[in-house]
Amino acid sequence: MLGPALLVLLCSFRGLAGPLPHFLQQPEDMVVLLGAEARLPCALGAYRGLVQWTKDGLALGGERDLPGWSRYWISGNTASGQHDLHIKPVELEDEASYECQASQAGLRSRPAQLRVMVPPEAPQILGGPSVSLVAGVPGNLTCRSRGDAQPAPELLWFRDGIRLDGATFHQTTLKDKTTGAVENTLFLTPSSHEDGATLICRARSQVLPTGKDTAVTLILQYPPVVTLSAEPQTVQEGEKATFLCHATAHPPVTGYRWAKGGSPVLGARGPRLEVVADATFLTEPVSCEVSNAVGSANRSTALEVLYGPILPAKPKPVSVDVGKDASFSCAWRGNPLPRITWTRLGSSQVLSSGPTLRLPSVALEDAGDYVCRAEPRRSGLGGGTALARLTVNAPPVVKALIPAPAFLRGPARLQCVVFASPAPDSVVWSWDEGFLEAGSLGRFLVETFSAPEEEGGQGPGLISVLHISGTQESDFTRGFNCSARNRLGEGRTQVHLGRRASGSFSKQKNLVRIPGSSDGSSSRGPEEEAGGSEERGPIVHPDHGDLILDEKEALEAADPTNGYYKVRGVSVSLSLGEAPGGGLFLPPPSPIGFPGTPTYYDFKPHLDLVPPCRLYRARAGYLTTPHPRAFTSYMKPTSFGSTDLSSGTPPFPYATLSPPSHQRLQTHV
């Protein structure tokens, strides 16, 4: 019963004493700028005792002026229980946890956390205020915060008010776990036009939202930036032109080098080059290379040169079989490109326009020369033509030349002209009882030589000559066939020998006297034996060898083509003695070449030159042979060049003939 009574008594006593001490106001967490004033409020009710403040548990003291803490003091009306803590100016060391305590009443306020905010300073750009970079080479700029900004600032890059991307943020932590310096690195690849540009690094935080800026100027080193021009840009061939090479560079330009088509222009230095324009400047541009300590740059340009038609290579001749297609190419060049037309030689009709002429399914009459003509356009310069030859491969074309009439038992000559592409494998003369391709057979001998091309481009030709020594009656009544064959076929013609109706053939003028015949036979034929002694042949002069010819009558023969083929008489056909078996041509060995090679004597009777070999048989009293070249067998040539058989020039070195007294007629046979 005593315990409850005491409790009631105590409660009654306290109620008579008044309310208990308590906090009217307690300090709150706060943030304050460095250097500003911080005020932590504290108010007590029903308390008249000692009030003090603690900092991180350390008592600051009970006096109002807080001795030892020069920037700290307590303010407020003590009677009303106001005990506010003031700190001015706030420093970083003031950042702590503070409590207001009523020691005698045993009261403690809740802790109040004081945070000191430090605004960022203007950042530092490493290498600033100007930084040297190389244009085109990746580089970086580093911006670093300064001071003890709280909280750590944000670093941003700007150019012309525009935020730049490509930055990398990096923050370091100090040993005491506090935030250290903050860095921001901007990676960039500058170009030459950014030389002198200004970039800004800005440090900002919630304390200073506008931030503080630091600027840096870019100084760029870059290789030359080159522009190349020509004055004038378009010129006529042969005129002068000037190339101008302009360059900007940092550091300055150290040298120029000029080239044309990749080859250095010797002696060219500096930013200017003068040239005399020609067609090569279109395909071989001029280049200018400029260098400095950082590098070099090259620019090139082509000059527009106007020039007339140029033909780098002549059109190639074309050979096709009859019925096949043929085409020619004629690559004229020019600036502007010339107008190209094709015509046939001797005709003005345009067959085609352009560099290519196509002839489908050619016929024999298409063979010949074609003209590729180039005409300049607006340049008005030059022009030209080129010939292209078409050879149509076909069976040989054989034409007979009208022979000169011959005397009975006299010499005769039959001729045919063969035009063939490809060249004939053989040219054969045939008659009733035999045939002969080359060499001699009894009274007959064949020689073959080149002939001029026929008008119309039928191809190179051959003239085959059949010599008859001592004609007989049957020679005037039968035909002699001349035929030629190649891989495409055969061509032939027939020749008839005409007979001289009046007069007689005198062998006297056409004999070769061979003294000292082994069989002691007469030096004349039977006809001459029957005659008188006044018909004897001429006596050989001992100083001039074995034989003498009457040049004028023995060598001169009429041209049956009247000069069209420019073929002159070249063979000396003399009478054989009537030896057993008749006359026989025997080819002599070659005196100036290997066995089997053609024989070439300079047999000029008017000079009394005599071949150095004996061209007769023991039983033959008279030599019936032309010049030894007549024995040369025909060999298929690989090509036929034009033979100069003008009327005033002998076709062979051993024939000396006077030109015909009558005018040459262009007669086709």
Side-chain angles (χ1 to χ4, degrees), residues 147-148 150 171-182:
D148 299 315
Q150 294 291 341
Q171 188 174 32
T172 60
T173 303
L174 302 179
K175 291 181 180 180
D176 59 359
K177 306 297 182 182
T178 60
T179 300
V182 177

Side-chain angles (χ1 to χ4, degrees), residues 39 42 64 73-86:
R39 174 178 173 273
C42 180
R64 304 291 285 184
W73 74 91
I74 298 174
S75 67
N77 189 346
T78 304
S80 61
Q82 194 72 33
H83 304 276
D84 298 338
L85 176 63
H86 292 263

Side-chain angles (χ1 to χ4, degrees), residues 449-535:
F449 50 91
S450 300
E453 293 187 13
E454 187 182 46
E455 188 172 328
Q458 222 172 343
L462 296 173
I463 293 181
S464 183
V465 182
L466 175 65
H467 296 276
I468 306 175
S469 176
T471 59
Q472 300 176 1
E473 287 288 349
S474 60
D475 295 335
F476 299 102
T477 59
R478 62 185 170 191
F480 292 87
N481 298 313
C482 177
S483 60
R485 174 180 294 275
N486 63 11
R487 65 176 176 84
L488 296 174
E490 183 180 19
R492 65 174 56 235
T493 190
Q494 192 172 73
V495 187
H496 292 274
L497 179 62
R499 181 172 180 174
R500 289 194 179 185
S502 61
S504 62
F505 175 68
S506 174
K507 299 181 178 60
Q508 169 67 29
K509 298 289 186 176
N510 294 279
L511 297 182
V512 177
R513 179 93 179 261
I514 305 175
S517 299
S518 61
D519 59 354
S521 62
S522 172
S523 61
R524 294 186 297 167
E527 294 82 357
E528 285 75 15
E529 294 288 348
S533 61
E534 68 275 11
E535 295 295 327

Side-chain angles (χ1 to χ4, degrees), residues 21 55 84 99 109 149 160 176-177 215 249 261 279 297-298 331 335 345 378 438 451 455 462 472 612 650:
K55 175 183 178 182
D84 298 338
E99 291 183 2
S109 68
D160 299 332
D176 59 359
K177 306 297 182 182
N298 187 301
N335 188 35
L345 184 63
R378 61 184 176 90
E455 188 172 328
L462 296 173
Q472 300 176 1

Side-chain angles (χ1 to χ4, degrees), residues 16 18 40 42 44 50-51 67 88 101 116 195 201 249 317 325 327 405 443 514 520-521 548 611 630 636:
L16 294 173
L40 299 172
C42 180
L44 292 166
L50 177 65
V51 176
K88 183 182 180 180
Q101 298 178 357
V116 179
D195 185 36
C201 179
D325 296 343
S327 64
R443 298 180 299 117
I514 305 175
S521 62
I548 295 177
K636 180 181 176 181

